[in-house]
Amino acid sequence: MSEKRSPKVRVIPAKVRTGRNEANDDGAKKRVAAYARISTNDPSQAGSYDLQVAYYTDFIKSNPNWKLVKIYADDGISGTSIKNRLGFQNLIKDCYEGKIDYILTKSISRFARNTLDCLKFIRELKALGIGIYFEKENIDTLDTKSELFLTILSSMAQEESRSISLNTKWSIMKRFQRGNAHIPTTYFLGYDTDENGNLVINEEEAAVIRRIYSECLAGKGTALIAKGLMKDGILTARGNKKWTPDAVYKILTNEKFTGSALTNKTITIDYLSHKRIRNDGREQQYFIKEHHPAIISEEDWNAVQQELKRRNDMLRNPDGKYAQNYSNRSCFSNILYCAECGHPIVRRRMSSQKNGEKYLFTAWHCRTKTHPQKYKEDCKARYVWESALESEFMNLLSDLKAGKAELLQDAQQVIDEHDLSPTEKERQLNLAAQIKQINEQIQKLTEQSNSSLANIYEASINHLYYEQELLQAEYDELDERRQTSKDMERHLETLLSYLNSLDERESFEEQESFEEEEEGPAFQEEIFRQVVQKGTINKDLKVTLEFKCGITRSFIANRKK
């Protein structure tokens, strides 16, 4: 009996033919399009883009069974999202409209670096009978074996994109650590870029920036500043005639005008969608001082920030008691408060009679009395004539000028109370030296670091940053107090300057016989705006003013009959 032999089986692969190079079944030429893309605007890649377009144009025209539809292209656009790829969007649109039978492209990464996008469009086009041929990978999507390879290769393309994103982010962070920040000046009012890439002041535009800061400190709101700029025909950074309050506000809050640069204000949270959000502490930021020439001094910058904060706080009072809109219609607006109930004092236009004739006058009254239906409080405040406020304030200035010695003594006492003690001043100097030393260590590590030892250097740098943050917090707390003291000194100088500029007047006693003929000095609104921080008025018309230099003075605002 012979031994039974096992059968021998040989697999004969199927010959997959997609008909890519052939005409359509009806004999018509296959309508073929190509898609080309480069991901950056680097001039060195401009040749690659042109070559791709030229290559596919010639390649499609060389096949007698093909008819060129169009070369769709995106120049300088990332492949991680289709959002800004107009060429790609038009390609897909034409496919759905039945204008294309086949698509040629260099590689999967040129088509899409997002795995989900890549497979989504491949499957949708395949359902329409439209194939895509990827030359580099030699994959035709109408081939039944292509799905697995496409999934693997497109995932690899997405991972490559993620790696590129991380490496780019790492290099940018290193540049920030070295104190290098890229600041484009195309639409940056006040600065130009020289041939070496450095920021230089454009004096003509810088005058506009200084004007905006000066007008803010003079009491003008952003809307009024914008209106004035348009009236004078001054153009924005983009060359527009229209200024908006928001544009003015952004200039007033941009630290770059002080010569500093705060990096990482916004961050990318998804390398595929490129979505950017405001950096609320998610990632590290770098504040680079003395990065470029300053247009605005730090003193003026700090004063503007304090003023903006004061105006903003008016709207954000927790219980709404003091909440009010900022107004620049009068120098007394947003400054005076009721000493009886705490509400703001507001301006009123009132009427009265004298000798049987009606007349109008301007007064200031507690808001609860002006709007009793809205603010149901039993406030005993009385209204005060605006003319009385103005005349008594000028009399107060005359008294301050006459008693300058007492003024200086009182102001210096308040300034000393806010200033740092000798021990605190020494501590601040030591903190500054330690922070400087840590910055030098970070700089040294940053210059030595490379990608192969990135984790080791990064850990050391992060530890130094943590130590620096603790020291900086203590330094800033001391510096805030020192700055408050310096601001008071500056405001004292301003007050003294105004007092010295007042016209010499004879004493009240010498003028008593001429009281009815002479009304006193004209009210100077600018002085009130520049020297007074806050004021209160009680039911007996006693006005108490807090000056910006720290002193407090009072007067009775009775109207002279």
Side-chain angles (χ1 to χ4, degrees):
M1 186 174 182
S2 61
E3 185 178 346
K4 187 176 181 181
R5 297 181 179 181
S6 299
K8 297 180 179 180
V9 179
R10 180 169 65 90
V11 178
I12 302 174
K15 294 181 179 180
V16 179
R17 292 180 58 83
T18 61
R20 182 175 66 251
N21 294 317
E22 300 172 359
N24 289 330
D25 294 338
D26 59 2
K29 288 186 176 182
K30 195 175 257 73
R31 297 165 300 173
V32 180
Y35 177 72
R37 179 185 65 82
I38 63 169
S39 57
T40 72
N41 283 314
D42 191 330
S44 63
Q45 289 201 23
S48 172
Y49 173 78
D50 294 336
L51 284 173
Q52 287 186 57
V53 174
Y55 166 74
Y56 281 116
T57 301
D58 294 338
F59 182 68
I60 294 173
K61 288 182 177 180
S62 66
N63 190 321
N65 294 322
W66 287 354
K67 176 184 177 182
L68 175 62
V69 177
K70 186 179 177 181
I71 305 297
Y72 299 84
D74 286 306
D75 187 3
I77 305 294
S78 170
T80 53
S81 171
I82 67 166
K83 182 178 180 181
N84 297 316
R85 294 165 63 190
L86 298 181
F88 185 86
Q89 293 174 20
N90 290 332
L91 169 67
I92 300 302
K93 177 175 173 290
D94 288 348
C95 286
Y96 277 103
E97 292 178 357
K99 299 177 181 179
I100 298 171
D101 297 319
Y102 244 95
I103 300 170
L104 305 181
T105 189
K106 181 179 178 181
S107 66
I108 293 174
S109 63
R110 295 299 90 192
F111 189 74
R113 285 188 180 273
N114 185 316
T115 303
L116 294 178
D117 282 348
C118 184
L119 294 179
K120 171 180 176 290
F121 287 112
I122 286 173
R123 288 166 181 166
E124 288 181 1
L125 295 179
K126 187 175 181 180
L128 296 173
I130 301 172
I132 307 173
Y133 179 63
F134 301 100
E135 282 195 285
K136 181 180 178 181
E137 294 85 4
N138 192 27
I139 292 178
D140 190 323
T141 59
L142 294 184
D143 188 335
T144 55
K145 298 190 301 181
S146 66
E147 181 78 11
L148 176 61
F149 291 110
L150 281 169
T151 303
I152 295 172
L153 292 173
S154 61
S155 297
M156 291 173 63
Q158 178 173 317
E159 179 59 26
E160 180 186 1
S161 182
R162 189 186 73 86
S163 177
I164 292 172
S165 176
L166 291 175
N167 289 337
T168 302
K169 195 171 186 178
W170 183 85
S171 65
I172 292 174
M173 291 302 106
K174 295 305 171 187
R175 193 173 71 222
F176 290 159
Q177 290 170 5
R178 296 187 183 98
N180 299 325
H182 175 59
I183 303 177
T185 59
T186 306
Y187 301 118
F188 188 21
L189 197 68
Y191 289 97
D192 291 325
T193 305
D194 64 15
E195 60 276 6
N196 298 319
N198 300 317
L199 265 64
V200 293
I201 295 177
N202 181 320
E203 288 299 337
E204 183 179 352
E205 296 178 354
V208 179
I209 302 300
R210 295 187 186 103
R211 167 179 169 169
I212 291 172
Y213 275 75
S214 176
E215 291 185 354
C216 175
L217 291 176
K220 288 187 177 181
T222 54
L224 195 59
I225 294 174
K227 186 177 180 180
L229 293 170
M230 288 188 288
K231 181 181 178 181
D232 293 341
I234 297 173
L235 302 180
T236 67
R238 292 181 177 269
N240 298 326
K241 295 181 180 179
K242 183 178 180 180
W243 283 82
T244 63
D246 184 60
V248 173
Y249 181 81
K250 286 179 178 178
I251 288 176
L252 291 171
T253 55
N254 192 336
E255 82 292 336
K256 293 182 179 66
F257 294 116
T258 66
S260 301
L262 177 63
T263 67
N264 258 20
K265 290 182 180 179
T266 59
I267 54 175
T268 302
I269 58 173
D270 185 356
Y271 72 97
L272 293 176
S273 66
H274 302 287
K275 181 180 179 181
R276 295 188 67 82
I277 63 170
R278 183 175 295 277
N279 186 1
D280 55 0
R282 295 191 186 193
E283 293 188 11
Q284 206 161 43
Q285 291 182 289
Y286 301 86
F287 187 78
I288 307 170
K289 295 197 69 173
E290 299 178 1
H291 178 267
H292 53 272
I295 294 176
I296 302 298
S297 68
E298 285 198 20
E299 290 77 12
D300 285 345
W301 160 263
N302 290 329
V304 166
Q305 304 318 302
Q306 289 178 4
E307 175 61 17
L308 293 177
K309 182 179 183 301
R310 183 184 74 84
R311 298 178 189 180
N312 186 61
D313 288 346
M314 294 176 188
L315 298 171
R316 302 181 185 277
N317 179 251
D319 56 10
K321 185 173 184 178
Y322 309 107
Q324 56 185 314
N325 293 319
Y326 175 72
S327 173
N328 189 52
R329 296 186 65 181
S330 168
C331 62
F332 301 127
S333 300
N334 309 128
I335 297 294
L336 301 177
Y337 292 84
C338 179
E340 306 301 321
C341 68
H343 277 271
I345 301 290
V346 296
R347 198 180 198 187
R348 297 184 66 182
R349 193 65 175 159
M350 305 181 71
S351 64
S352 185
Q353 287 189 352
K354 184 176 183 180
N355 299 326
E357 293 185 6
K358 182 179 179 181
Y359 66 93
L360 298 175
F361 65 95
T362 301
W364 290 81
H365 206 179
C366 177
R367 185 169 64 179
T368 61
K369 306 295 286 185
T370 307
H371 305 286
Q373 298 301 321
K374 184 176 181 180
Y375 304 100
K376 300 183 183 300
E377 294 191 30
D378 185 21
C379 181
K380 305 299 183 183
R382 297 158 57 193
Y383 66 80
V384 57
W385 282 59
E386 185 174 83
S387 58
L389 285 173
E390 293 176 347
S391 60
E392 291 302 330
F393 175 72
M394 296 307 296
N395 290 335
L396 175 61
L397 291 182
S398 297
D399 293 341
L400 288 174
K401 183 175 182 178
K404 191 179 295 185
E406 182 183 358
L407 162 64
L408 289 171
Q409 182 179 352
D410 292 347
Q412 194 58 53
Q413 181 179 347
V414 178
I415 291 171
D416 290 341
E417 289 174 359
H418 285 81
D419 199 6
L420 301 179
S421 66
T423 303
E424 290 172 325
K425 289 180 180 178
E426 184 178 356
R427 173 58 178 165
Q428 189 180 32
L429 290 174
N430 290 335
L431 287 170
Q434 292 180 59
I435 292 170
K436 181 181 179 182
Q437 184 179 12
I438 290 176
N439 280 332
E440 292 173 351
Q441 291 177 325
I442 292 173
Q443 181 79 15
K444 187 176 180 180
L445 284 173
T446 301
E447 292 172 351
Q448 293 176 348
S449 63
N450 56 64
S451 56
S452 61
L453 299 175
N455 291 335
I456 298 176
Y457 283 109
E458 199 67 30
S460 300
I461 291 173
N462 286 338
H463 176 74
L464 289 172
Y465 275 131
Y466 176 72
E467 186 177 349
Q468 181 193 53
E469 188 176 346
L470 295 177
L471 296 174
Q472 190 68 49
E474 184 180 355
Y475 179 91
D476 290 343
E477 184 177 351
L478 292 172
D479 195 59
E480 184 176 354
R481 288 176 52 198
R482 183 184 64 86
Q483 188 62 48
T484 300
S485 176
K486 286 181 63 178
D487 288 342
M488 286 182 171
E489 289 180 346
R490 182 166 58 86
H491 288 304
L492 177 60
E493 292 175 1
T494 300
L495 175 59
L496 292 174
S497 175
Y498 279 126
L499 293 179
N500 292 332
S501 69
L502 291 176
D503 294 333
E504 294 293 331
R505 299 179 62 216
E506 296 178 313
S507 66
F508 175 79
E509 291 77 13
E510 294 173 337
Q511 294 263 341
E512 189 173 6
S513 61
F514 303 100
E515 182 178 312
E516 294 183 0
E517 300 179 17
E518 192 162 326
E519 298 179 355
F523 177 65
Q524 297 192 38
E525 182 176 316
E526 179 187 356
I527 299 181
F528 188 91
R529 288 186 185 276
Q530 296 299 320
V531 304
V532 176
Q533 182 73 30
K534 184 181 178 181
T536 59
I537 304 177
N538 70 8
K539 62 182 180 179
D540 298 321
L541 304 185
K542 180 181 179 181
V543 181
T544 302
L545 298 181
E546 298 176 14
F547 286 75
K548 293 180 180 179
C549 63
I551 66 169
T552 301
R553 292 292 187 272
S554 299
F555 58 79
I556 303 298
N558 279 324
R559 173 179 172 251
K560 294 181 175 62
K561 301 294 184 180

